[in-house]
């Protein structure tokens, strides 16, 4: 459990380390806040709670402007002439989301001379160069827990879609076909299957709890073990060695953050050692896997099904191989941006902005970078 203690120490360091620069708390005066979100277009007016969009901008415009702050919202984030680039030189706060990520590179951080705070409306801040942010003394924070339920539920749905071979049946219906054999030859029950989650943080633990009623054989790999009480409750078994766990699994779910250590972790070699016909669900980050290796394994049948909502880059280009590979159930990045999740991460973002203006600390679990220290999951 030494790693667990090290993680606790790292978290404490987020609060106790000396300030590296002036760029930690807000200074007095009007601030320029820029938000980068996806456009709702014709769907904007269909739901008044559709707040995580350009059109509604998390629902905080009136509040910000009533306090004298400037709020700019855009979806234009790519290339040297994009709208985001025009505001880098004088913005103080940048709000981004994992669903339409503005890639905050070291180059962009250098251009943003007034930047103090990077907020992720959601969970997962790997679209930011965290090392560069730490070196610049920036604060990076996200709304921890805001879409945990949303993503875990989506993962369970994808597991069932793959196990029951749902999509071929759906396609038969809309194409006017009827071929039961074409579906049933590879449709299975979830009960009795071995499901392994790579990562057992908030989402991974919730998935284990959601899977318990299905009477699966549950395994998990992480830096540290989950609470003994939860292990007993779920029946999940800890696997310290990832390479020993993967070949045991009928279904693998990725629930680990994207770091330099985890980037490309499911490569051609690791995939080759998995069971033939293994099912993989990835709602974590697209770059956790080797894109072409996954496409090739789906084409050969070694991967029996791959489903997820995360790609690299995002939005996925039209020629991305996952769009056209067989045995896939991919979607755009949607699992964590349900209406319920949007309301939670909008409220969490507003709370942190309010604390920032007042010079108050954020909830400890929200910090990803604080005063040069990275949160333990990104170390």
């Amino acid at each position: 459990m030494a790693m667990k203690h090290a993680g606790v120490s790292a978290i404490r360091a987020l609060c106790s380390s000396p300030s590296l620069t002036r760029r930690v708390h807000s200074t007095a005066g009007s601030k320029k806040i820029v938000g980068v979100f996806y456009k709702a277009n014709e769907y904007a007016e269909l739901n008044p709670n559709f707040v995580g969009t350009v059109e509604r901008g998390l629902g905080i415009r009136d509040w910000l402007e009533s306090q004298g702050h400037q709020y700019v919202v855009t979806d234009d984030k790519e290339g040297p002439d994009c709208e985001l680039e025009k505001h880098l030189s004088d913005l103080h706060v940048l709000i981004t989301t994992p669903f339409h990520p503005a890639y905050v590179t070291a180059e962009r951080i250098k251009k943003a001379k007034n930047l103090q705070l990077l907020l992720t409306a959601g969970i997962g801040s790997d679209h930011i160069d965290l090392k560069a942010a730490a070196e610049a003394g920036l604060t990076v924070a996200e709304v921890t827990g805001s879409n945990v339920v949303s993503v875990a539920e989506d993962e369970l749905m994808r597991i069932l879609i793959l196990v029951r071979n749902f999509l071929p049946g759906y396609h038969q219906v809309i194409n006017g076909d009827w071929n039961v054999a074409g579906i049933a030859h590879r449709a299975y029950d979830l009960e009795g299957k071995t499901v392994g989650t790579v990562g057992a943080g908030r989402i991974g633990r919730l998935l284990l709890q959601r899977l318990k009623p299905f009477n699966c054989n549950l395994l998990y790999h992480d830096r540290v073990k989950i609470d003994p009480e939860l292990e007993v409750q779920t029946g999940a078994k800890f696997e310290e060695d990832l390479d020993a766990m993967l070949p045991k699994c009928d279904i693998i779910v990725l629930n680990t953050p994207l770091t330099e250590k985890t980037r490309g972790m499911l490569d051609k070699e690791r995939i080759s050692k998995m069971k033939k016909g293994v099912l993989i669900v990835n709602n974590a980050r697209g770059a956790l896997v080797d894109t072409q290796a996954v496409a090739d394994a789906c084409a050969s049948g070694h991967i029996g099904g791959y489903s997820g909502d995360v790609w690299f880059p995002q939005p996925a280009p039209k020629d991305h191989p996952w769009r056209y590979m067989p045995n896939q159930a991919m979607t755009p990045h949607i699992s964590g941006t349900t209406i319920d999740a949007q309301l939670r991460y909008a409220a969490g973002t507003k709370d942190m902005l309010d604390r920032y203006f007042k010079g108050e600390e954020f909830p400890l679990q929200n910090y990803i970078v604080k005063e040069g220290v990275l949160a333990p999951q990104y170390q």
Side-chain angles (χ1 to χ4, degrees), residues 298-349:
C298 282
S300 72
H302 190 80
I303 293 178
Y306 185 92
S307 183
D309 68 336
V310 287
W311 310 66
F312 184 78
Q314 289 186 182
K318 291 185 178 181
D319 62 351
H320 196 291
W322 291 356
R323 291 182 182 269
Y324 310 105
M325 66 186 182
N327 305 322
Q328 57 93 355
M330 296 297 296
T331 67
H333 195 168
I334 57 168
S335 63
T337 189
T338 63
I339 297 299
D340 304 281
Q342 288 178 48
L343 293 172
R344 288 191 292 266
Y345 63 68
T349 300

Side-chain angles (χ1 to χ4, degrees), residues 358-370:
K358 295 175 180 177
E360 298 176 355
E361 296 291 329
F362 299 160
L364 178 58
Q365 68 270 18
N366 288 9
Y367 284 109
I368 302 303
V369 176
K370 182 174 186 284

Side-chain angles (χ1 to χ4, degrees), residues 46-84:
L46 299 182
N47 191 328
N49 291 323
F50 198 4
V51 296
T53 62
V54 167
E55 288 80 354
R56 287 205 170 86
L58 302 181
I60 58 176
R61 179 177 296 280
D62 290 346
W63 172 70
L64 286 172
E65 292 180 349
S66 70
Q67 299 186 58
H69 303 298
Q70 182 183 0
Y71 188 36
V72 176
V73 174
T74 183
D75 73 322
D76 186 15
K77 62 188 180 69
E78 303 292 344
D81 299 320
C82 71
E83 189 68 18
L84 174 59

Side-chain angles (χ1 to χ4, degrees), residues 34-38 51-54 58 74 77 94-104 119-128 147 285 314 333 336-337 342 345 349:
V34 175
V36 179
F37 310 108
Y38 56 84
V51 296
T53 62
V54 167
L58 302 181
T74 183
K77 62 188 180 69
L94 177 60
I95 306 170
T96 61
T97 79
F99 317 105
H100 187 71
Y103 293 102
V104 185
L119 291 178
T120 298
I123 302 173
S125 298
D126 48 87
H127 53 282
I128 299 168
N147 51 22
R285 288 294 181 266
Q314 289 186 182
H333 195 168
T337 189
Q342 288 178 48
Y345 63 68
T349 300

